[in-house]
Short mmCIF file of all heavy atoms in Angstrom, two decimals:
data_model
loop_
_atom_site.label_atom_id
_atom_site.label_comp_id
_atom_site.label_asym_id
_atom_site.label_seq_id
_atom_site.Cartn_x
_atom_site.Cartn_y
_atom_site.Cartn_z
N ARG A 9 -30.51 19.73 -3.80
CA ARG A 9 -29.13 19.58 -3.38
C ARG A 9 -29.05 19.13 -1.91
O ARG A 9 -28.10 18.43 -1.57
CB ARG A 9 -28.40 20.90 -3.52
CG ARG A 9 -28.20 21.34 -5.01
CD ARG A 9 -27.32 20.34 -5.80
NE ARG A 9 -26.11 20.07 -5.07
CZ ARG A 9 -24.99 20.79 -5.13
NH1 ARG A 9 -24.98 21.92 -5.83
NH2 ARG A 9 -23.95 20.48 -4.45
N TYR A 31 -26.61 5.95 -20.69
CA TYR A 31 -26.46 5.24 -19.40
C TYR A 31 -26.70 6.25 -18.32
O TYR A 31 -26.15 7.35 -18.30
CB TYR A 31 -25.16 4.57 -19.28
CG TYR A 31 -24.99 3.24 -19.97
CD1 TYR A 31 -24.67 3.19 -21.34
CD2 TYR A 31 -25.27 2.06 -19.27
CE1 TYR A 31 -24.53 1.98 -21.97
CE2 TYR A 31 -25.10 0.87 -19.95
CZ TYR A 31 -24.80 0.82 -21.32
OH TYR A 31 -24.71 -0.39 -21.94
N PHE A 33 -26.68 6.23 -13.88
CA PHE A 33 -26.29 5.53 -12.70
C PHE A 33 -26.71 6.31 -11.48
O PHE A 33 -26.61 7.53 -11.36
CB PHE A 33 -24.75 5.33 -12.61
CG PHE A 33 -24.17 4.68 -13.85
CD1 PHE A 33 -23.92 5.50 -14.99
CD2 PHE A 33 -23.86 3.34 -13.83
CE1 PHE A 33 -23.33 4.91 -16.09
CE2 PHE A 33 -23.25 2.75 -14.96
CZ PHE A 33 -23.01 3.53 -16.11
N TYR A 35 -25.75 6.36 -7.37
CA TYR A 35 -24.81 5.91 -6.35
C TYR A 35 -25.18 6.50 -4.96
O TYR A 35 -25.87 7.56 -4.89
CB TYR A 35 -23.39 6.42 -6.66
CG TYR A 35 -22.68 5.81 -7.84
CD1 TYR A 35 -22.86 6.28 -9.11
CD2 TYR A 35 -21.81 4.78 -7.61
CE1 TYR A 35 -22.22 5.71 -10.20
CE2 TYR A 35 -21.17 4.16 -8.68
CZ TYR A 35 -21.32 4.67 -9.99
OH TYR A 35 -20.64 4.11 -11.03
N GLN A 37 -23.11 7.53 -1.34
CA GLN A 37 -21.79 7.72 -0.68
C GLN A 37 -21.94 7.95 0.77
O GLN A 37 -22.62 8.86 1.21
CB GLN A 37 -21.02 8.86 -1.33
CG GLN A 37 -19.60 8.97 -0.87
CD GLN A 37 -18.87 10.07 -1.60
OE1 GLN A 37 -19.32 11.15 -1.83
NE2 GLN A 37 -17.59 9.73 -1.91
N ARG A 41 -19.14 3.16 3.94
CA ARG A 41 -19.20 2.24 2.82
C ARG A 41 -18.65 2.81 1.53
O ARG A 41 -18.61 2.13 0.52
CB ARG A 41 -20.62 1.81 2.59
CG ARG A 41 -21.21 1.02 3.82
CD ARG A 41 -22.68 0.74 3.61
NE ARG A 41 -22.87 -0.27 2.61
CZ ARG A 41 -22.85 -1.56 2.83
NH1 ARG A 41 -22.71 -2.06 4.05
NH2 ARG A 41 -22.99 -2.50 1.79
N GLY A 42 -18.24 4.09 1.52
CA GLY A 42 -17.72 4.71 0.32
C GLY A 42 -18.82 4.93 -0.73
O GLY A 42 -19.95 5.15 -0.46
N LEU A 43 -18.41 4.79 -1.97
CA LEU A 43 -19.28 5.10 -3.16
C LEU A 43 -19.86 3.73 -3.61
O LEU A 43 -19.10 2.91 -4.13
CB LEU A 43 -18.51 5.76 -4.18
CG LEU A 43 -19.19 6.58 -5.27
CD1 LEU A 43 -20.09 7.59 -4.62
CD2 LEU A 43 -18.20 7.17 -6.21
N LEU A 45 -22.69 1.65 -5.98
CA LEU A 45 -23.67 1.67 -7.10
C LEU A 45 -24.93 1.09 -6.63
O LEU A 45 -24.98 -0.06 -6.16
CB LEU A 45 -23.11 0.89 -8.30
CG LEU A 45 -24.05 0.83 -9.54
CD1 LEU A 45 -24.27 2.25 -10.14
CD2 LEU A 45 -23.46 -0.10 -10.55
N TYR A 48 -28.43 0.97 -12.31
CA TYR A 48 -28.13 1.74 -13.46
C TYR A 48 -29.09 1.38 -14.65
O TYR A 48 -29.65 0.24 -14.69
CB TYR A 48 -26.67 1.68 -13.94
CG TYR A 48 -26.20 0.43 -14.54
CD1 TYR A 48 -26.10 0.29 -15.98
CD2 TYR A 48 -25.65 -0.61 -13.82
CE1 TYR A 48 -25.60 -0.80 -16.53
CE2 TYR A 48 -25.17 -1.75 -14.38
CZ TYR A 48 -25.11 -1.87 -15.74
OH TYR A 48 -24.59 -2.98 -16.40
N ASP A 56 -29.27 -3.25 -13.94
CA ASP A 56 -28.73 -3.91 -12.77
C ASP A 56 -29.13 -3.11 -11.54
O ASP A 56 -28.74 -1.98 -11.35
CB ASP A 56 -27.23 -3.99 -12.84
CG ASP A 56 -26.60 -4.78 -11.70
OD1 ASP A 56 -27.31 -5.04 -10.71
OD2 ASP A 56 -25.44 -5.18 -11.76
N SER A 58 -28.97 -4.63 -8.44
CA SER A 58 -28.50 -5.51 -7.32
C SER A 58 -27.94 -4.70 -6.15
O SER A 58 -27.83 -5.18 -5.04
CB SER A 58 -27.40 -6.47 -7.81
OG SER A 58 -26.33 -5.75 -8.37
N PHE A 91 -25.58 10.33 -5.50
CA PHE A 91 -25.11 10.93 -6.78
C PHE A 91 -25.76 10.21 -7.95
O PHE A 91 -26.00 9.00 -7.91
CB PHE A 91 -23.55 10.69 -6.91
CG PHE A 91 -22.76 11.56 -5.97
CD1 PHE A 91 -22.15 11.02 -4.85
CD2 PHE A 91 -22.55 12.85 -6.28
CE1 PHE A 91 -21.39 11.82 -3.99
CE2 PHE A 91 -21.81 13.65 -5.43
CZ PHE A 91 -21.23 13.15 -4.33
N SER A 95 -23.33 8.33 -18.78
CA SER A 95 -22.26 8.10 -19.69
C SER A 95 -22.84 7.66 -21.03
O SER A 95 -23.98 7.42 -21.17
CB SER A 95 -21.37 6.95 -19.16
OG SER A 95 -22.05 5.69 -19.23
N LEU A 96 -21.92 7.70 -22.02
CA LEU A 96 -22.28 7.29 -23.37
C LEU A 96 -21.99 5.78 -23.47
O LEU A 96 -21.04 5.25 -22.81
CB LEU A 96 -21.44 7.98 -24.43
CG LEU A 96 -21.80 9.51 -24.69
CD1 LEU A 96 -20.63 10.16 -25.47
CD2 LEU A 96 -23.08 9.56 -25.41
N SER A 97 -22.73 5.09 -24.32
CA SER A 97 -22.44 3.68 -24.48
C SER A 97 -21.11 3.46 -25.13
O SER A 97 -20.57 2.33 -25.00
CB SER A 97 -23.60 3.05 -25.32
OG SER A 97 -23.67 3.66 -26.61
N SER A 99 -18.36 4.86 -24.27
CA SER A 99 -17.31 5.23 -23.34
C SER A 99 -17.68 4.80 -21.92
O SER A 99 -18.80 4.82 -21.52
CB SER A 99 -17.09 6.76 -23.38
OG SER A 99 -16.26 7.19 -22.30
N GLU A 100 -16.63 4.31 -21.21
CA GLU A 100 -16.90 3.94 -19.78
C GLU A 100 -16.88 5.12 -18.82
O GLU A 100 -17.17 5.02 -17.67
CB GLU A 100 -15.86 2.89 -19.33
CG GLU A 100 -15.93 1.58 -20.10
CD GLU A 100 -14.99 1.54 -21.25
OE1 GLU A 100 -14.59 2.65 -21.80
OE2 GLU A 100 -14.59 0.42 -21.66
N THR A 101 -16.46 6.31 -19.28
CA THR A 101 -16.33 7.46 -18.43
C THR A 101 -17.64 7.93 -17.91
O THR A 101 -18.53 8.27 -18.76
CB THR A 101 -15.61 8.60 -19.12
OG1 THR A 101 -14.34 8.16 -19.66
CG2 THR A 101 -15.31 9.74 -18.16
N GLN A 102 -17.88 7.96 -16.67
CA GLN A 102 -19.09 8.42 -16.04
C GLN A 102 -18.93 9.81 -15.53
O GLN A 102 -17.95 10.15 -14.94
CB GLN A 102 -19.54 7.50 -14.91
CG GLN A 102 -19.87 6.08 -15.37
CD GLN A 102 -20.21 5.17 -14.22
OE1 GLN A 102 -20.65 5.63 -13.16
NE2 GLN A 102 -20.09 3.82 -14.43
N PHE A 104 -20.41 12.71 -13.14
CA PHE A 104 -21.22 12.76 -11.94
C PHE A 104 -21.93 14.17 -11.75
O PHE A 104 -21.35 15.18 -12.14
CB PHE A 104 -20.41 12.52 -10.67
CG PHE A 104 -20.03 11.07 -10.48
CD1 PHE A 104 -19.11 10.43 -11.28
CD2 PHE A 104 -20.78 10.36 -9.52
CE1 PHE A 104 -18.80 9.09 -11.06
CE2 PHE A 104 -20.45 8.99 -9.33
CZ PHE A 104 -19.48 8.41 -10.12
N GLY A 105 -23.09 14.11 -11.16
CA GLY A 105 -23.80 15.38 -10.76
C GLY A 105 -23.18 15.80 -9.40
O GLY A 105 -22.36 15.15 -8.83
N PRO A 106 -23.75 16.91 -8.91
CA PRO A 106 -23.25 17.49 -7.64
C PRO A 106 -23.72 16.76 -6.41
O PRO A 106 -23.20 16.99 -5.28
CB PRO A 106 -23.81 18.93 -7.69
CG PRO A 106 -25.05 18.79 -8.52
CD PRO A 106 -24.75 17.75 -9.54
N ASP B 31 -10.40 -4.41 -17.61
CA ASP B 31 -9.63 -3.94 -18.77
C ASP B 31 -9.72 -2.42 -18.85
O ASP B 31 -9.25 -1.78 -19.84
CB ASP B 31 -10.17 -4.52 -20.08
CG ASP B 31 -11.60 -4.21 -20.32
OD1 ASP B 31 -12.25 -3.62 -19.45
OD2 ASP B 31 -12.10 -4.63 -21.34
N TYR B 32 -10.22 -1.78 -17.81
CA TYR B 32 -10.35 -0.32 -17.84
C TYR B 32 -10.32 0.22 -16.43
O TYR B 32 -10.99 -0.32 -15.54
CB TYR B 32 -11.64 0.06 -18.54
CG TYR B 32 -12.00 1.55 -18.55
CD1 TYR B 32 -11.42 2.41 -19.47
CD2 TYR B 32 -12.82 2.08 -17.59
CE1 TYR B 32 -11.73 3.75 -19.48
CE2 TYR B 32 -13.13 3.44 -17.57
CZ TYR B 32 -12.51 4.28 -18.50
OH TYR B 32 -12.83 5.64 -18.49
N ILE B 34 -9.99 4.07 -13.98
CA ILE B 34 -10.23 5.50 -14.05
C ILE B 34 -10.00 6.09 -12.74
O ILE B 34 -10.20 5.51 -11.67
CB ILE B 34 -11.72 5.72 -14.54
CG1 ILE B 34 -12.05 7.18 -14.82
CG2 ILE B 34 -12.75 5.15 -13.53
CD1 ILE B 34 -13.36 7.33 -15.53
N TYR B 36 -10.78 9.51 -10.32
CA TYR B 36 -11.69 10.64 -10.10
C TYR B 36 -11.11 11.48 -8.91
O TYR B 36 -10.44 11.00 -8.00
CB TYR B 36 -13.10 10.22 -9.67
CG TYR B 36 -13.91 9.70 -10.83
CD1 TYR B 36 -13.94 8.37 -11.15
CD2 TYR B 36 -14.72 10.58 -11.52
CE1 TYR B 36 -14.71 7.93 -12.20
CE2 TYR B 36 -15.56 10.12 -12.63
CZ TYR B 36 -15.53 8.77 -12.93
OH TYR B 36 -16.29 8.35 -13.94
N GLN B 38 -12.49 14.25 -6.01
CA GLN B 38 -13.70 14.75 -5.41
C GLN B 38 -13.35 15.82 -4.42
O GLN B 38 -12.69 15.56 -3.38
CB GLN B 38 -14.47 13.65 -4.73
CG GLN B 38 -15.83 14.13 -4.20
CD GLN B 38 -16.73 13.02 -3.61
OE1 GLN B 38 -16.20 11.96 -3.23
NE2 GLN B 38 -18.02 13.22 -3.56
N GLY B 41 -17.94 18.72 -0.96
CA GLY B 41 -19.29 19.19 -1.33
C GLY B 41 -19.57 19.10 -2.78
O GLY B 41 -20.65 19.56 -3.28
N LYS B 42 -18.73 18.38 -3.54
CA LYS B 42 -18.94 18.22 -5.00
C LYS B 42 -19.03 16.73 -5.36
O LYS B 42 -18.59 15.86 -4.57
CB LYS B 42 -17.86 18.97 -5.77
CG LYS B 42 -17.87 20.45 -5.54
CD LYS B 42 -16.78 21.10 -6.37
CE LYS B 42 -16.77 22.57 -6.21
NZ LYS B 42 -15.71 23.25 -7.04
N GLY B 43 -19.43 16.49 -6.61
CA GLY B 43 -19.37 15.14 -7.11
C GLY B 43 -17.99 14.79 -7.66
O GLY B 43 -17.18 15.65 -7.94
N PRO B 44 -17.73 13.48 -7.81
CA PRO B 44 -16.45 13.05 -8.33
C PRO B 44 -16.28 13.61 -9.77
O PRO B 44 -17.25 13.68 -10.56
CB PRO B 44 -16.54 11.53 -8.38
CG PRO B 44 -17.59 11.21 -7.30
CD PRO B 44 -18.54 12.33 -7.33
N GLN B 45 -15.05 14.06 -10.07
CA GLN B 45 -14.73 14.68 -11.35
C GLN B 45 -13.67 13.77 -12.03
O GLN B 45 -12.66 13.44 -11.43
CB GLN B 45 -14.21 16.07 -11.11
CG GLN B 45 -13.83 16.79 -12.38
CD GLN B 45 -13.15 18.14 -12.05
OE1 GLN B 45 -12.89 18.46 -10.93
NE2 GLN B 45 -12.96 18.93 -13.08
N PHE B 46 -13.96 13.46 -13.27
CA PHE B 46 -13.02 12.61 -14.04
C PHE B 46 -11.67 13.32 -14.16
O PHE B 46 -11.52 14.50 -14.50
CB PHE B 46 -13.62 12.36 -15.42
CG PHE B 46 -12.64 11.78 -16.43
CD1 PHE B 46 -12.34 10.43 -16.39
CD2 PHE B 46 -12.01 12.61 -17.37
CE1 PHE B 46 -11.47 9.89 -17.34
CE2 PHE B 46 -11.15 12.05 -18.24
CZ PHE B 46 -10.87 10.75 -18.26
N ASP B 49 -8.07 8.23 -17.41
CA ASP B 49 -8.37 6.79 -17.49
C ASP B 49 -7.29 6.04 -18.25
O ASP B 49 -6.44 6.68 -18.92
CB ASP B 49 -9.72 6.51 -18.08
CG ASP B 49 -9.93 7.12 -19.46
OD1 ASP B 49 -8.95 7.68 -20.05
OD2 ASP B 49 -11.04 7.00 -20.00
N ARG B 51 -6.63 2.02 -20.33
CA ARG B 51 -7.04 0.66 -20.61
C ARG B 51 -5.95 -0.32 -20.34
O ARG B 51 -4.74 0.07 -20.28
CB ARG B 51 -7.47 0.62 -22.09
CG ARG B 51 -8.64 1.50 -22.42
CD ARG B 51 -9.31 1.20 -23.74
NE ARG B 51 -10.41 2.09 -23.93
CZ ARG B 51 -11.59 1.92 -23.37
NH1 ARG B 51 -11.82 0.82 -22.56
NH2 ARG B 51 -12.57 2.77 -23.55
N PHE B 89 -10.18 8.98 -5.99
CA PHE B 89 -10.70 7.62 -6.11
C PHE B 89 -10.23 6.93 -7.36
O PHE B 89 -10.20 7.51 -8.44
CB PHE B 89 -12.26 7.64 -6.21
CG PHE B 89 -12.94 8.12 -4.94
CD1 PHE B 89 -13.30 9.42 -4.85
CD2 PHE B 89 -13.25 7.26 -3.93
CE1 PHE B 89 -13.96 9.92 -3.70
CE2 PHE B 89 -13.89 7.67 -2.77
CZ PHE B 89 -14.21 9.06 -2.70
N LYS B 93 -13.42 -1.21 -14.06
CA LYS B 93 -14.62 -1.64 -14.75
C LYS B 93 -14.95 -3.05 -14.42
O LYS B 93 -14.10 -3.96 -14.41
CB LYS B 93 -14.43 -1.44 -16.25
CG LYS B 93 -15.80 -1.61 -16.97
CD LYS B 93 -15.67 -1.35 -18.50
CE LYS B 93 -15.07 -2.58 -19.24
NZ LYS B 93 -15.21 -2.40 -20.69
N ALA B 96 -20.14 -4.64 -18.29
CA ALA B 96 -20.23 -3.75 -19.45
C ALA B 96 -19.91 -2.28 -19.11
O ALA B 96 -19.14 -1.62 -19.77
CB ALA B 96 -21.56 -3.83 -20.10
N GLN B 97 -20.61 -1.73 -18.13
CA GLN B 97 -20.48 -0.37 -17.88
C GLN B 97 -20.24 -0.09 -16.38
O GLN B 97 -20.07 1.12 -16.04
CB GLN B 97 -21.74 0.38 -18.35
CG GLN B 97 -21.91 0.48 -19.84
CD GLN B 97 -20.90 1.45 -20.50
OE1 GLN B 97 -20.08 1.03 -21.25
NE2 GLN B 97 -21.01 2.71 -20.17
N LYS B 98 -20.28 -1.03 -15.51
CA LYS B 98 -20.16 -0.78 -14.09
C LYS B 98 -18.76 -0.43 -13.70
O LYS B 98 -17.79 -0.96 -14.14
CB LYS B 98 -20.62 -2.01 -13.27
CG LYS B 98 -22.13 -2.24 -13.30
CD LYS B 98 -22.49 -3.55 -12.62
CE LYS B 98 -22.21 -3.50 -11.10
NZ LYS B 98 -22.75 -4.62 -10.40
N LEU B 99 -18.71 0.45 -12.76
CA LEU B 99 -17.37 0.82 -12.14
C LEU B 99 -17.42 0.44 -10.68
O LEU B 99 -18.43 0.74 -9.99
CB LEU B 99 -17.09 2.34 -12.32
CG LEU B 99 -16.81 2.84 -13.68
CD1 LEU B 99 -16.62 4.39 -13.64
CD2 LEU B 99 -15.67 2.17 -14.35
N PHE B 101 -15.58 1.25 -7.18
CA PHE B 101 -14.68 2.35 -6.65
C PHE B 101 -13.99 1.89 -5.42
O PHE B 101 -14.48 1.17 -4.60
CB PHE B 101 -15.53 3.59 -6.31
CG PHE B 101 -15.97 4.34 -7.45
CD1 PHE B 101 -17.12 3.95 -8.24
CD2 PHE B 101 -15.33 5.49 -7.81
CE1 PHE B 101 -17.48 4.71 -9.33
CE2 PHE B 101 -15.71 6.27 -8.92
CZ PHE B 101 -16.79 5.83 -9.70
N GLY B 102 -12.75 2.36 -5.23
CA GLY B 102 -12.00 2.26 -4.01
C GLY B 102 -12.49 3.20 -2.94
O GLY B 102 -13.35 4.02 -3.23
N GLN B 103 -11.87 3.18 -1.76
CA GLN B 103 -12.35 4.00 -0.65
C GLN B 103 -11.87 5.39 -0.72
O GLN B 103 -12.43 6.28 -0.11
CB GLN B 103 -11.87 3.38 0.66
CG GLN B 103 -12.62 2.07 1.02
CD GLN B 103 -14.08 2.33 1.19
OE1 GLN B 103 -14.50 3.14 2.02
NE2 GLN B 103 -14.90 1.51 0.49
N ARG B 106 -7.32 10.90 0.74
CA ARG B 106 -7.42 12.33 0.94
C ARG B 106 -6.07 12.94 0.78
O ARG B 106 -5.17 12.63 1.55
CB ARG B 106 -8.02 12.65 2.30
CG ARG B 106 -8.19 14.13 2.51
CD ARG B 106 -8.91 14.47 3.83
NE ARG B 106 -10.27 13.91 3.80
CZ ARG B 106 -11.30 14.45 3.25
NH1 ARG B 106 -11.15 15.65 2.63
NH2 ARG B 106 -12.49 13.93 3.31
#
Side-chain angles (χ1 to χ4, degrees):
Chain A
R9 293 295 312 276
Y31 278 86
F33 305 81
Y35 289 87
Q37 186 176 42
R41 301 175 68 90
L43 201 56
L45 176 66
Y48 75 96
D56 184 346
S58 60
F91 288 104
S95 69
L96 288 165
S97 57
S99 170
E100 295 95 336
T101 305
Q102 296 178 22
F104 283 76
Chain B
D31 61 357
Y32 175 82
I34 188 168
Y36 283 91
Q38 186 176 22
K42 297 183 179 179
Q45 179 185 9
F46 168 79
D49 57 2
R51 297 196 179 279
F89 293 94
K93 191 176 78 167
Q97 290 288 116
K98 288 176 66 171
L99 294 177
F101 285 80
Q103 290 297 307
R106 181 174 299 280

